PDB file of all heavy atoms in Angstrom:
ATOM      1  N   GLN A  76     -76.385 -19.693 -41.276  1.00 85.00           N
ATOM      2  CA  GLN A  76     -75.044 -19.625 -41.830  1.00 85.00           C
ATOM      3  C   GLN A  76     -74.892 -20.636 -42.965  1.00 85.00           C
ATOM      4  O   GLN A  76     -75.337 -21.775 -42.874  1.00 85.00           O
ATOM      5  CB  GLN A  76     -74.013 -19.923 -40.735  1.00 85.00           C
ATOM      6  CG  GLN A  76     -72.576 -19.863 -41.191  1.00 85.00           C
ATOM      7  CD  GLN A  76     -72.142 -18.442 -41.516  1.00 85.00           C
ATOM      8  OE1 GLN A  76     -72.627 -17.493 -40.911  1.00 85.00           O
ATOM      9  NE2 GLN A  76     -71.241 -18.306 -42.465  1.00 85.00           N
ATOM     10  N   LEU A  77     -74.266 -20.217 -44.065  1.00 86.00           N
ATOM     11  CA  LEU A  77     -74.041 -21.106 -45.201  1.00 86.00           C
ATOM     12  C   LEU A  77     -72.988 -22.150 -44.863  1.00 86.00           C
ATOM     13  O   LEU A  77     -72.064 -21.902 -44.078  1.00 86.00           O
ATOM     14  CB  LEU A  77     -73.578 -20.294 -46.415  1.00 86.00           C
ATOM     15  CG  LEU A  77     -74.591 -19.301 -46.997  1.00 86.00           C
ATOM     16  CD1 LEU A  77     -73.912 -18.433 -48.052  1.00 86.00           C
ATOM     17  CD2 LEU A  77     -75.787 -20.025 -47.604  1.00 86.00           C
ATOM     18  N   ARG A  78     -73.111 -23.328 -45.478  1.00 89.00           N
ATOM     19  CA  ARG A  78     -72.132 -24.386 -45.243  1.00 89.00           C
ATOM     20  C   ARG A  78     -70.803 -24.034 -45.904  1.00 89.00           C
ATOM     21  O   ARG A  78     -70.731 -23.217 -46.824  1.00 89.00           O
ATOM     22  CB  ARG A  78     -72.648 -25.715 -45.797  1.00 89.00           C
ATOM     23  CG  ARG A  78     -72.640 -25.818 -47.315  1.00 89.00           C
ATOM     24  CD  ARG A  78     -72.917 -27.251 -47.754  1.00 89.00           C
ATOM     25  NE  ARG A  78     -72.944 -27.377 -49.207  1.00 89.00           N
ATOM     26  CZ  ARG A  78     -71.854 -27.579 -49.951  1.00 89.00           C
ATOM     27  NH1 ARG A  78     -70.664 -27.659 -49.388  1.00 89.00           N
ATOM     28  NH2 ARG A  78     -71.958 -27.692 -51.277  1.00 89.00           N
ATOM     29  N   TYR A  79     -69.753 -24.704 -45.451  1.00 91.00           N
ATOM     30  CA  TYR A  79     -68.421 -24.501 -46.023  1.00 91.00           C
ATOM     31  C   TYR A  79     -68.340 -25.160 -47.397  1.00 91.00           C
ATOM     32  O   TYR A  79     -68.778 -26.302 -47.583  1.00 91.00           O
ATOM     33  CB  TYR A  79     -67.357 -25.073 -45.092  1.00 91.00           C
ATOM     34  CG  TYR A  79     -65.964 -25.079 -45.702  1.00 91.00           C
ATOM     35  CD1 TYR A  79     -65.223 -23.910 -45.799  1.00 91.00           C
ATOM     36  CD2 TYR A  79     -65.407 -26.264 -46.185  1.00 91.00           C
ATOM     37  CE1 TYR A  79     -63.958 -23.911 -46.359  1.00 91.00           C
ATOM     38  CE2 TYR A  79     -64.137 -26.274 -46.751  1.00 91.00           C
ATOM     39  CZ  TYR A  79     -63.425 -25.095 -46.830  1.00 91.00           C
ATOM     40  OH  TYR A  79     -62.172 -25.099 -47.389  1.00 91.00           O
ATOM     41  N   VAL A  80     -67.793 -24.440 -48.369  1.00 92.00           N
ATOM     42  CA  VAL A  80     -67.618 -24.973 -49.722  1.00 92.00           C
ATOM     43  C   VAL A  80     -66.131 -25.227 -49.929  1.00 92.00           C
ATOM     44  O   VAL A  80     -65.307 -24.319 -49.779  1.00 92.00           O
ATOM     45  CB  VAL A  80     -68.153 -23.992 -50.791  1.00 92.00           C
ATOM     46  CG1 VAL A  80     -67.933 -24.555 -52.191  1.00 92.00           C
ATOM     47  CG2 VAL A  80     -69.628 -23.711 -50.562  1.00 92.00           C
ATOM     48  N   SER A  81     -65.788 -26.458 -50.288  1.00 94.00           N
ATOM     49  CA  SER A  81     -64.385 -26.830 -50.420  1.00 94.00           C
ATOM     50  C   SER A  81     -63.760 -26.221 -51.673  1.00 94.00           C
ATOM     51  O   SER A  81     -64.455 -25.840 -52.621  1.00 94.00           O
ATOM     52  CB  SER A  81     -64.247 -28.355 -50.464  1.00 94.00           C
ATOM     53  OG  SER A  81     -64.815 -28.873 -51.667  1.00 94.00           O
ATOM     54  N   LYS A  82     -62.436 -26.199 -51.679  1.00 93.00           N
ATOM     55  CA  LYS A  82     -61.704 -25.680 -52.835  1.00 93.00           C
ATOM     56  C   LYS A  82     -61.955 -26.548 -54.056  1.00 93.00           C
ATOM     57  O   LYS A  82     -62.058 -26.036 -55.181  1.00 93.00           O
ATOM     58  CB  LYS A  82     -60.217 -25.614 -52.511  1.00 93.00           C
ATOM     59  CG  LYS A  82     -59.361 -25.040 -53.640  1.00 93.00           C
ATOM     60  CD  LYS A  82     -57.903 -24.927 -53.244  1.00 93.00           C
ATOM     61  CE  LYS A  82     -57.069 -24.340 -54.378  1.00 93.00           C
ATOM     62  NZ  LYS A  82     -55.643 -24.206 -53.992  1.00 93.00           N
ATOM     63  N   ARG A  83     -62.074 -27.861 -53.863  1.00 94.00           N
ATOM     64  CA  ARG A  83     -62.319 -28.751 -54.984  1.00 94.00           C
ATOM     65  C   ARG A  83     -63.647 -28.421 -55.658  1.00 94.00           C
ATOM     66  O   ARG A  83     -63.745 -28.399 -56.887  1.00 94.00           O
ATOM     67  CB  ARG A  83     -62.310 -30.209 -54.509  1.00 94.00           C
ATOM     68  CG  ARG A  83     -62.625 -31.212 -55.620  1.00 94.00           C
ATOM     69  CD  ARG A  83     -62.569 -32.636 -55.112  1.00 94.00           C
ATOM     70  NE  ARG A  83     -61.217 -32.971 -54.652  1.00 94.00           N
ATOM     71  CZ  ARG A  83     -60.885 -34.157 -54.111  1.00 94.00           C
ATOM     72  NH1 ARG A  83     -61.825 -35.089 -53.949  1.00 94.00           N
ATOM     73  NH2 ARG A  83     -59.646 -34.384 -53.732  1.00 94.00           N
ATOM     74  N   GLU A  84     -64.670 -28.158 -54.873  1.00 95.00           N
ATOM     75  CA  GLU A  84     -65.977 -27.804 -55.429  1.00 95.00           C
ATOM     76  C   GLU A  84     -65.873 -26.517 -56.251  1.00 95.00           C
ATOM     77  O   GLU A  84     -66.455 -26.409 -57.340  1.00 95.00           O
ATOM     78  CB  GLU A  84     -66.995 -27.616 -54.304  1.00 95.00           C
ATOM     79  CG  GLU A  84     -67.444 -28.888 -53.626  1.00 95.00           C
ATOM     80  CD  GLU A  84     -68.417 -28.607 -52.497  1.00 95.00           C
ATOM     81  OE1 GLU A  84     -67.971 -28.173 -51.415  1.00 95.00           O
ATOM     82  OE2 GLU A  84     -69.635 -28.802 -52.707  1.00 95.00           O
ATOM     83  N   LYS A  85     -65.137 -25.542 -55.718  1.00 95.00           N
ATOM     84  CA  LYS A  85     -65.027 -24.249 -56.415  1.00 95.00           C
ATOM     85  C   LYS A  85     -64.231 -24.374 -57.714  1.00 95.00           C
ATOM     86  O   LYS A  85     -64.497 -23.622 -58.667  1.00 95.00           O
ATOM     87  CB  LYS A  85     -64.370 -23.215 -55.489  1.00 95.00           C
ATOM     88  CG  LYS A  85     -65.245 -22.817 -54.312  1.00 95.00           C
ATOM     89  CD  LYS A  85     -64.586 -21.718 -53.490  1.00 95.00           C
ATOM     90  CE  LYS A  85     -65.490 -21.263 -52.352  1.00 95.00           C
ATOM     91  NZ  LYS A  85     -64.892 -20.152 -51.553  1.00 95.00           N
ATOM     92  N   ILE A  86     -63.273 -25.304 -57.766  1.00 96.00           N
ATOM     93  CA  ILE A  86     -62.512 -25.507 -59.005  1.00 96.00           C
ATOM     94  C   ILE A  86     -63.352 -26.264 -60.028  1.00 96.00           C
ATOM     95  O   ILE A  86     -63.339 -25.944 -61.230  1.00 96.00           O
ATOM     96  CB  ILE A  86     -61.200 -26.255 -58.708  1.00 96.00           C
ATOM     97  CG1 ILE A  86     -60.261 -25.373 -57.879  1.00 96.00           C
ATOM     98  CG2 ILE A  86     -60.508 -26.683 -60.004  1.00 96.00           C
ATOM     99  CD1 ILE A  86     -58.990 -26.069 -57.440  1.00 96.00           C
ATOM    100  N   LEU A  87     -64.086 -27.267 -59.559  1.00 96.00           N
ATOM    101  CA  LEU A  87     -64.885 -28.076 -60.477  1.00 96.00           C
ATOM    102  C   LEU A  87     -66.068 -27.302 -61.054  1.00 96.00           C
ATOM    103  O   LEU A  87     -66.493 -27.560 -62.193  1.00 96.00           O
ATOM    104  CB  LEU A  87     -65.397 -29.335 -59.762  1.00 96.00           C
ATOM    105  CG  LEU A  87     -64.344 -30.417 -59.472  1.00 96.00           C
ATOM    106  CD1 LEU A  87     -64.972 -31.551 -58.672  1.00 96.00           C
ATOM    107  CD2 LEU A  87     -63.765 -30.946 -60.778  1.00 96.00           C
ATOM    108  N   PHE A  88     -66.598 -26.343 -60.301  1.00 95.00           N
ATOM    109  CA  PHE A  88     -67.802 -25.642 -60.749  1.00 95.00           C
ATOM    110  C   PHE A  88     -67.618 -24.955 -62.100  1.00 95.00           C
ATOM    111  O   PHE A  88     -68.413 -25.184 -63.030  1.00 95.00           O
ATOM    112  CB  PHE A  88     -68.253 -24.631 -59.688  1.00 95.00           C
ATOM    113  CG  PHE A  88     -69.474 -23.853 -60.081  1.00 95.00           C
ATOM    114  CD1 PHE A  88     -70.733 -24.416 -60.006  1.00 95.00           C
ATOM    115  CD2 PHE A  88     -69.361 -22.542 -60.546  1.00 95.00           C
ATOM    116  CE1 PHE A  88     -71.863 -23.703 -60.379  1.00 95.00           C
ATOM    117  CE2 PHE A  88     -70.474 -21.829 -60.921  1.00 95.00           C
ATOM    118  CZ  PHE A  88     -71.733 -22.410 -60.839  1.00 95.00           C
ATOM    119  N   PRO A  89     -66.604 -24.085 -62.298  1.00 95.00           N
ATOM    120  CA  PRO A  89     -66.467 -23.443 -63.616  1.00 95.00           C
ATOM    121  C   PRO A  89     -66.210 -24.440 -64.737  1.00 95.00           C
ATOM    122  O   PRO A  89     -66.675 -24.243 -65.867  1.00 95.00           O
ATOM    123  CB  PRO A  89     -65.283 -22.491 -63.434  1.00 95.00           C
ATOM    124  CG  PRO A  89     -64.547 -22.968 -62.243  1.00 95.00           C
ATOM    125  CD  PRO A  89     -65.575 -23.608 -61.365  1.00 95.00           C
ATOM    126  N   VAL A  90     -65.479 -25.522 -64.441  1.00 96.00           N
ATOM    127  CA  VAL A  90     -65.217 -26.521 -65.478  1.00 96.00           C
ATOM    128  C   VAL A  90     -66.517 -27.199 -65.905  1.00 96.00           C
ATOM    129  O   VAL A  90     -66.790 -27.367 -67.103  1.00 96.00           O
ATOM    130  CB  VAL A  90     -64.201 -27.562 -64.966  1.00 96.00           C
ATOM    131  CG1 VAL A  90     -63.999 -28.666 -66.005  1.00 96.00           C
ATOM    132  CG2 VAL A  90     -62.868 -26.898 -64.634  1.00 96.00           C
ATOM    133  N   ILE A  91     -67.325 -27.573 -64.943  1.00 95.00           N
ATOM    134  CA  ILE A  91     -68.603 -28.240 -65.243  1.00 95.00           C
ATOM    135  C   ILE A  91     -69.527 -27.309 -66.012  1.00 95.00           C
ATOM    136  O   ILE A  91     -70.193 -27.717 -66.976  1.00 95.00           O
ATOM    137  CB  ILE A  91     -69.266 -28.723 -63.933  1.00 95.00           C
ATOM    138  CG1 ILE A  91     -68.432 -29.840 -63.301  1.00 95.00           C
ATOM    139  CG2 ILE A  91     -70.687 -29.206 -64.203  1.00 95.00           C
ATOM    140  CD1 ILE A  91     -68.907 -30.237 -61.913  1.00 95.00           C
ATOM    141  N   VAL A  92     -69.572 -26.040 -65.609  1.00 95.00           N
ATOM    142  CA  VAL A  92     -70.448 -25.087 -66.291  1.00 95.00           C
ATOM    143  C   VAL A  92     -70.028 -24.903 -67.747  1.00 95.00           C
ATOM    144  O   VAL A  92     -70.873 -24.864 -68.658  1.00 95.00           O
ATOM    145  CB  VAL A  92     -70.452 -23.728 -65.556  1.00 95.00           C
ATOM    146  CG1 VAL A  92     -71.188 -22.667 -66.385  1.00 95.00           C
ATOM    147  CG2 VAL A  92     -71.121 -23.864 -64.199  1.00 95.00           C
ATOM    148  N   ILE A  93     -68.734 -24.808 -68.015  1.00 95.00           N
ATOM    149  CA  ILE A  93     -68.257 -24.653 -69.396  1.00 95.00           C
ATOM    150  C   ILE A  93     -68.617 -25.884 -70.222  1.00 95.00           C
ATOM    151  O   ILE A  93     -69.047 -25.775 -71.379  1.00 95.00           O
ATOM    152  CB  ILE A  93     -66.736 -24.403 -69.414  1.00 95.00           C
ATOM    153  CG1 ILE A  93     -66.420 -23.020 -68.847  1.00 95.00           C
ATOM    154  CG2 ILE A  93     -66.184 -24.516 -70.834  1.00 95.00           C
ATOM    155  CD1 ILE A  93     -64.945 -22.714 -68.737  1.00 95.00           C
ATOM    156  N   VAL A  94     -68.447 -27.078 -69.648  1.00 95.00           N
ATOM    157  CA  VAL A  94     -68.782 -28.310 -70.369  1.00 95.00           C
ATOM    158  C   VAL A  94     -70.274 -28.345 -70.701  1.00 95.00           C
ATOM    159  O   VAL A  94     -70.674 -28.662 -71.834  1.00 95.00           O
ATOM    160  CB  VAL A  94     -68.381 -29.548 -69.549  1.00 95.00           C
ATOM    161  CG1 VAL A  94     -68.917 -30.825 -70.201  1.00 95.00           C
ATOM    162  CG2 VAL A  94     -66.866 -29.622 -69.421  1.00 95.00           C
ATOM    163  N   LEU A  95     -71.117 -28.021 -69.731  1.00 94.00           N
ATOM    164  CA  LEU A  95     -72.566 -28.009 -69.975  1.00 94.00           C
ATOM    165  C   LEU A  95     -72.937 -26.975 -71.030  1.00 94.00           C
ATOM    166  O   LEU A  95     -73.801 -27.215 -71.883  1.00 94.00           O
ATOM    167  CB  LEU A  95     -73.303 -27.721 -68.666  1.00 94.00           C
ATOM    168  CG  LEU A  95     -73.254 -28.825 -67.606  1.00 94.00           C
ATOM    169  CD1 LEU A  95     -73.935 -28.361 -66.321  1.00 94.00           C
ATOM    170  CD2 LEU A  95     -73.919 -30.096 -68.127  1.00 94.00           C
ATOM    171  N   CYS A  96     -72.287 -25.805 -70.970  1.00 93.00           N
ATOM    172  CA  CYS A  96     -72.555 -24.756 -71.960  1.00 93.00           C
ATOM    173  C   CYS A  96     -72.169 -25.228 -73.354  1.00 93.00           C
ATOM    174  O   CYS A  96     -72.912 -25.017 -74.325  1.00 93.00           O
ATOM    175  CB  CYS A  96     -71.795 -23.485 -71.593  1.00 93.00           C
ATOM    176  SG  CYS A  96     -71.985 -22.136 -72.760  1.00 93.00           S
ATOM    177  N   ALA A  97     -71.022 -25.889 -73.463  1.00 93.00           N
ATOM    178  CA  ALA A  97     -70.566 -26.380 -74.768  1.00 93.00           C
ATOM    179  C   ALA A  97     -71.518 -27.427 -75.327  1.00 93.00           C
ATOM    180  O   ALA A  97     -71.750 -27.496 -76.544  1.00 93.00           O
ATOM    181  CB  ALA A  97     -69.159 -26.955 -74.640  1.00 93.00           C
ATOM    182  N   LEU A  98     -72.093 -28.246 -74.455  1.00 93.00           N
ATOM    183  CA  LEU A  98     -72.978 -29.310 -74.914  1.00 93.00           C
ATOM    184  C   LEU A  98     -74.394 -28.823 -75.213  1.00 93.00           C
ATOM    185  O   LEU A  98     -75.038 -29.294 -76.153  1.00 93.00           O
ATOM    186  CB  LEU A  98     -73.040 -30.423 -73.849  1.00 93.00           C
ATOM    187  CG  LEU A  98     -71.729 -31.197 -73.598  1.00 93.00           C
ATOM    188  CD1 LEU A  98     -71.917 -32.168 -72.438  1.00 93.00           C
ATOM    189  CD2 LEU A  98     -71.288 -31.921 -74.861  1.00 93.00           C
ATOM    190  N   LEU A  99     -74.880 -27.864 -74.405  1.00 91.00           N
ATOM    191  CA  LEU A  99     -76.285 -27.481 -74.490  1.00 91.00           C
ATOM    192  C   LEU A  99     -76.533 -26.139 -75.169  1.00 91.00           C
ATOM    193  O   LEU A  99     -77.545 -25.972 -75.859  1.00 91.00           O
ATOM    194  CB  LEU A  99     -76.893 -27.449 -73.071  1.00 91.00           C
ATOM    195  CG  LEU A  99     -76.813 -28.753 -72.279  1.00 91.00           C
ATOM    196  CD1 LEU A  99     -77.381 -28.554 -70.879  1.00 91.00           C
ATOM    197  CD2 LEU A  99     -77.555 -29.870 -73.001  1.00 91.00           C
ATOM    198  N   LEU A 100     -75.648 -25.156 -74.969  1.00 91.00           N
ATOM    199  CA  LEU A 100     -75.902 -23.817 -75.496  1.00 91.00           C
ATOM    200  C   LEU A 100     -74.598 -23.166 -75.945  1.00 91.00           C
ATOM    201  O   LEU A 100     -74.106 -22.234 -75.310  1.00 91.00           O
ATOM    202  CB  LEU A 100     -76.585 -22.960 -74.412  1.00 91.00           C
ATOM    203  CG  LEU A 100     -77.263 -21.662 -74.873  1.00 91.00           C
ATOM    204  CD1 LEU A 100     -78.380 -21.943 -75.859  1.00 91.00           C
ATOM    205  CD2 LEU A 100     -77.802 -20.900 -73.668  1.00 91.00           C
ATOM    206  N   PRO A 101     -74.027 -23.623 -77.038  1.00 93.00           N
ATOM    207  CA  PRO A 101     -72.731 -23.064 -77.485  1.00 93.00           C
ATOM    208  C   PRO A 101     -72.772 -21.575 -77.789  1.00 93.00           C
ATOM    209  O   PRO A 101     -71.748 -20.903 -77.687  1.00 93.00           O
ATOM    210  CB  PRO A 101     -72.437 -23.876 -78.758  1.00 93.00           C
ATOM    211  CG  PRO A 101     -73.265 -25.108 -78.655  1.00 93.00           C
ATOM    212  CD  PRO A 101     -74.491 -24.723 -77.896  1.00 93.00           C
ATOM    213  N   SER A 102     -73.942 -21.045 -78.143  1.00 90.00           N
ATOM    214  CA  SER A 102     -74.024 -19.620 -78.477  1.00 90.00           C
ATOM    215  C   SER A 102     -73.703 -18.731 -77.282  1.00 90.00           C
ATOM    216  O   SER A 102     -73.335 -17.564 -77.455  1.00 90.00           O
ATOM    217  CB  SER A 102     -75.417 -19.281 -79.022  1.00 90.00           C
ATOM    218  OG  SER A 102     -76.426 -19.657 -78.097  1.00 90.00           O
ATOM    219  N   ALA A 103     -73.853 -19.264 -76.063  1.00 91.00           N
ATOM    220  CA  ALA A 103     -73.531 -18.483 -74.867  1.00 91.00           C
ATOM    221  C   ALA A 103     -72.098 -18.702 -74.408  1.00 91.00           C
ATOM    222  O   ALA A 103     -71.677 -18.128 -73.401  1.00 91.00           O
ATOM    223  CB  ALA A 103     -74.488 -18.848 -73.726  1.00 91.00           C
ATOM    224  N   ALA A 104     -71.346 -19.515 -75.149  1.00 93.00           N
ATOM    225  CA  ALA A 104     -69.986 -19.871 -74.728  1.00 93.00           C
ATOM    226  C   ALA A 104     -69.052 -18.676 -74.573  1.00 93.00           C
ATOM    227  O   ALA A 104     -68.231 -18.661 -73.638  1.00 93.00           O
ATOM    228  CB  ALA A 104     -69.392 -20.890 -75.697  1.00 93.00           C
ATOM    229  N   PRO A 105     -69.095 -17.659 -75.452  1.00 93.00           N
ATOM    230  CA  PRO A 105     -68.177 -16.526 -75.234  1.00 93.00           C
ATOM    231  C   PRO A 105     -68.354 -15.863 -73.866  1.00 93.00           C
ATOM    232  O   PRO A 105     -67.377 -15.606 -73.159  1.00 93.00           O
ATOM    233  CB  PRO A 105     -68.527 -15.568 -76.378  1.00 93.00           C
ATOM    234  CG  PRO A 105     -69.075 -16.438 -77.449  1.00 93.00           C
ATOM    235  CD  PRO A 105     -69.831 -17.515 -76.727  1.00 93.00           C
ATOM    236  N   LEU A 106     -69.608 -15.585 -73.489  1.00 93.00           N
ATOM    237  CA  LEU A 106     -69.868 -14.924 -72.212  1.00 93.00           C
ATOM    238  C   LEU A 106     -69.569 -15.846 -71.037  1.00 93.00           C
ATOM    239  O   LEU A 106     -68.800 -15.504 -70.133  1.00 93.00           O
ATOM    240  CB  LEU A 106     -71.323 -14.449 -72.161  1.00 93.00           C
ATOM    241  CG  LEU A 106     -71.694 -13.289 -73.091  1.00 93.00           C
ATOM    242  CD1 LEU A 106     -73.204 -13.140 -73.176  1.00 93.00           C
ATOM    243  CD2 LEU A 106     -71.065 -11.996 -72.601  1.00 93.00           C
ATOM    244  N   ILE A 107     -70.185 -17.022 -71.039  1.00 94.00           N
ATOM    245  CA  ILE A 107     -70.006 -17.941 -69.918  1.00 94.00           C
ATOM    246  C   ILE A 107     -68.568 -18.436 -69.866  1.00 94.00           C
ATOM    247  O   ILE A 107     -67.986 -18.611 -68.781  1.00 94.00           O
ATOM    248  CB  ILE A 107     -71.007 -19.105 -70.034  1.00 94.00           C
ATOM    249  CG1 ILE A 107     -72.430 -18.586 -69.793  1.00 94.00           C
ATOM    250  CG2 ILE A 107     -70.677 -20.216 -69.039  1.00 94.00           C
ATOM    251  CD1 ILE A 107     -73.502 -19.648 -69.845  1.00 94.00           C
ATOM    252  N   GLY A 108     -67.959 -18.663 -71.028  1.00 95.00           N
ATOM    253  CA  GLY A 108     -66.580 -19.137 -71.056  1.00 95.00           C
ATOM    254  C   GLY A 108     -65.615 -18.160 -70.413  1.00 95.00           C
ATOM    255  O   GLY A 108     -64.758 -18.554 -69.600  1.00 95.00           O
ATOM    256  N   PHE A 109     -65.720 -16.872 -70.744  1.00 96.00           N
ATOM    257  CA  PHE A 109     -64.825 -15.878 -70.140  1.00 96.00           C
ATOM    258  C   PHE A 109     -65.123 -15.702 -68.656  1.00 96.00           C
ATOM    259  O   PHE A 109     -64.210 -15.492 -67.853  1.00 96.00           O
ATOM    260  CB  PHE A 109     -64.953 -14.542 -70.876  1.00 96.00           C
ATOM    261  CG  PHE A 109     -64.016 -14.399 -72.038  1.00 96.00           C
ATOM    262  CD1 PHE A 109     -64.209 -15.123 -73.202  1.00 96.00           C
ATOM    263  CD2 PHE A 109     -62.916 -13.558 -71.974  1.00 96.00           C
ATOM    264  CE1 PHE A 109     -63.341 -15.010 -74.273  1.00 96.00           C
ATOM    265  CE2 PHE A 109     -62.033 -13.438 -73.027  1.00 96.00           C
ATOM    266  CZ  PHE A 109     -62.244 -14.165 -74.183  1.00 96.00           C
ATOM    267  N   LEU A 110     -66.409 -15.765 -68.284  1.00 95.00           N
ATOM    268  CA  LEU A 110     -66.766 -15.645 -66.868  1.00 95.00           C
ATOM    269  C   LEU A 110     -66.147 -16.784 -66.064  1.00 95.00           C
ATOM    270  O   LEU A 110     -65.536 -16.558 -65.005  1.00 95.00           O
ATOM    271  CB  LEU A 110     -68.292 -15.664 -66.730  1.00 95.00           C
ATOM    272  CG  LEU A 110     -68.846 -15.584 -65.307  1.00 95.00           C
ATOM    273  CD1 LEU A 110     -68.616 -14.200 -64.718  1.00 95.00           C
ATOM    274  CD2 LEU A 110     -70.341 -15.914 -65.303  1.00 95.00           C
ATOM    275  N   MET A 111     -66.278 -17.997 -66.563  1.00 96.00           N
ATOM    276  CA  MET A 111     -65.752 -19.155 -65.838  1.00 96.00           C
ATOM    277  C   MET A 111     -64.227 -19.229 -65.897  1.00 96.00           C
ATOM    278  O   MET A 111     -63.589 -19.702 -64.962  1.00 96.00           O
ATOM    279  CB  MET A 111     -66.381 -20.434 -66.395  1.00 96.00           C
ATOM    280  CG  MET A 111     -67.876 -20.514 -66.143  1.00 96.00           C
ATOM    281  SD  MET A 111     -68.264 -20.382 -64.374  1.00 96.00           S
ATOM    282  CE  MET A 111     -69.969 -19.829 -64.426  1.00 96.00           C
ATOM    283  N   PHE A 112     -63.646 -18.765 -66.983  1.00 96.00           N
ATOM    284  CA  PHE A 112     -62.185 -18.725 -67.065  1.00 96.00           C
ATOM    285  C   PHE A 112     -61.617 -17.800 -65.994  1.00 96.00           C
ATOM    286  O   PHE A 112     -60.638 -18.137 -65.296  1.00 96.00           O
ATOM    287  CB  PHE A 112     -61.751 -18.274 -68.454  1.00 96.00           C
ATOM    288  CG  PHE A 112     -60.279 -18.016 -68.582  1.00 96.00           C
ATOM    289  CD1 PHE A 112     -59.347 -18.981 -68.224  1.00 96.00           C
ATOM    290  CD2 PHE A 112     -59.815 -16.795 -69.046  1.00 96.00           C
ATOM    291  CE1 PHE A 112     -57.980 -18.738 -68.331  1.00 96.00           C
ATOM    292  CE2 PHE A 112     -58.445 -16.548 -69.159  1.00 96.00           C
ATOM    293  CZ  PHE A 112     -57.525 -17.525 -68.797  1.00 96.00           C
ATOM    294  N   GLY A 113     -62.222 -16.625 -65.852  1.00 96.00           N
ATOM    295  CA  GLY A 113     -61.778 -15.707 -64.803  1.00 96.00           C
ATOM    296  C   GLY A 113     -61.926 -16.314 -63.424  1.00 96.00           C
ATOM    297  O   GLY A 113     -61.042 -16.189 -62.562  1.00 96.00           O
ATOM    298  N   ASN A 114     -63.044 -17.019 -63.190  1.00 96.00           N
ATOM    299  CA  ASN A 114     -63.267 -17.635 -61.884  1.00 96.00           C
ATOM    300  C   ASN A 114     -62.297 -18.782 -61.637  1.00 96.00           C
ATOM    301  O   ASN A 114     -61.819 -18.973 -60.508  1.00 96.00           O
ATOM    302  CB  ASN A 114     -64.705 -18.135 -61.787  1.00 96.00           C
ATOM    303  CG  ASN A 114     -65.054 -18.659 -60.411  1.00 96.00           C
ATOM    304  OD1 ASN A 114     -65.226 -19.844 -60.210  1.00 96.00           O
ATOM    305  ND2 ASN A 114     -65.135 -17.754 -59.435  1.00 96.00           N
ATOM    306  N   LEU A 115     -61.981 -19.551 -62.680  1.00 96.00           N
ATOM    307  CA  LEU A 115     -61.037 -20.654 -62.525  1.00 96.00           C
ATOM    308  C   LEU A 115     -59.652 -20.135 -62.156  1.00 96.00           C
ATOM    309  O   LEU A 115     -58.950 -20.734 -61.322  1.00 96.00           O
ATOM    310  CB  LEU A 115     -60.977 -21.462 -63.821  1.00 96.00           C
ATOM    311  CG  LEU A 115     -60.084 -22.707 -63.807  1.00 96.00           C
ATOM    312  CD1 LEU A 115     -60.576 -23.709 -62.765  1.00 96.00           C
ATOM    313  CD2 LEU A 115     -60.032 -23.347 -65.183  1.00 96.00           C
TER     314      LEU A 115
END
């Protein structure tokens, strides 16, 4: 059985991914940005 994932972790995940995308691979920002925005 998978461990419980808190709400805080789920909120922070899309924010962290967008920040990393902006810093490392901006060309993927449209796709990843909209994906993470929907998840947020």
Side-chain angles (χ1 to χ4, degrees):
Q76 181 69 31
L77 295 171
R78 73 169 179 86
Y79 172 76
V80 179
S81 68
K82 182 177 181 179
R83 177 179 297 178
E84 288 178 283
K85 291 184 177 182
I86 293 175
L87 287 176
F88 179 78
V90 176
I91 293 172
V92 171
I93 290 176
V94 171
L95 291 176
C96 178
L98 294 175
L99 302 177
L100 196 61
S102 56
L106 291 167
I107 291 182
F109 271 72
L110 178 70
M111 294 303 158
F112 172 54
N114 186 251
L115 183 61

